[in-house]
Amino acid sequence: MLIGVHIIVASGLGSLTENPAIAFALGIASHFIGDKIPHWEYSIAPLDELKRKSVGEKLRTCLKKDVFRVLSFIGLEIGGAFVLVFAIVHYVAPQAHFLPVLAGGFGGLLPDVLWGFADNSKNKILQAYRRLHHASHTKAENVSLRHGLIWQLAAVAIAIILLDR
């Protein structure tokens, strides 16, 4: 699932509680549930060049056109998702408790951040987490862009409804 969708859905779930810790946990849980839904994702294959390199080599690799493009898109997607959530809370749903909404969003983001660290680490705990996260994804192959985005748009619509309740 697109990381922005994870953030928006988790933020919507976070709005269901006033407790940031519960919202954070709901965000993490929603991430793993969301990954079970057949979905489309853009390729992050260029990031494979970062694996198992020294810090200096990683920094040089980040400047390569394809790697920089993927990292930039991920950053824009994360930033855009949080801006959308902030705008909804500010303009549409000012009654929502901001801290749990934010905590839920970060909970929805965390599993992919940990996966990124695990994908570039030899740490046994992170490698075990990487296998768990990979196993949590849907087994659907070749999900079309249209079909994969329909499910994600439906999830975003539900999250916006939750934020505006």
Side-chain angles (χ1 to χ4, degrees):
M1 188 167 274
L2 295 172
I3 198 155
V5 174
H6 282 304
I7 291 167
I8 294 166
V9 168
S11 295
L13 289 172
S15 74
L16 298 176
T17 180
E18 294 180 20
N19 184 320
I22 292 171
F24 187 76
L26 286 171
I28 292 171
S30 76
H31 184 104
F32 288 102
I33 293 167
D35 277 346
K36 286 290 188 191
I37 298 169
H39 58 276
W40 173 88
E41 297 177 317
Y42 51 86
S43 174
I44 59 170
L47 298 186
D48 287 343
E49 289 189 54
L50 296 173
K51 291 182 182 177
R52 314 284 193 269
K53 291 187 176 186
S54 70
V55 172
E57 290 172 317
K58 285 182 188 212
L59 290 174
R60 282 188 295 280
T61 302
C62 285
L63 295 176
K64 288 185 176 180
K65 183 179 177 182
D66 291 343
V67 175
F68 185 77
R69 183 181 307 136
V70 171
L71 290 173
S72 297
F73 191 80
I74 291 169
L76 287 171
E77 184 184 357
I78 291 169
F82 277 114
V83 166
L84 178 64
V85 168
F86 295 153
I88 291 169
V89 169
H90 183 74
Y91 294 107
V92 179
Q95 76 284 359
H97 296 277
F98 183 71
L99 193 54
V101 169
L102 184 62
F106 277 107
L109 172 63
L110 180 65
D112 280 343
V113 171
L114 287 176
W115 172 82
F117 283 118
D119 210 35
N120 287 284
S121 171
K122 293 179 183 177
N123 180 287
K124 290 180 182 184
I125 294 170
L126 286 174
Q127 287 305 307
Y129 170 77
R130 183 176 178 271
R131 288 188 297 276
L132 170 77
H133 190 188
H134 181 73
S136 77
H137 281 163
T138 181
K139 303 303 180 231
E141 296 286 329
N142 300 322
V143 176
S144 71
L145 174 65
R146 187 183 73 177
H147 184 249
L149 289 180
I150 287 171
W151 284 109
Q152 293 184 77
L153 288 172
V156 167
I158 292 168
I160 291 171
I161 291 167
L162 288 176
L163 283 164
D164 191 32
R165 65 172 178 81

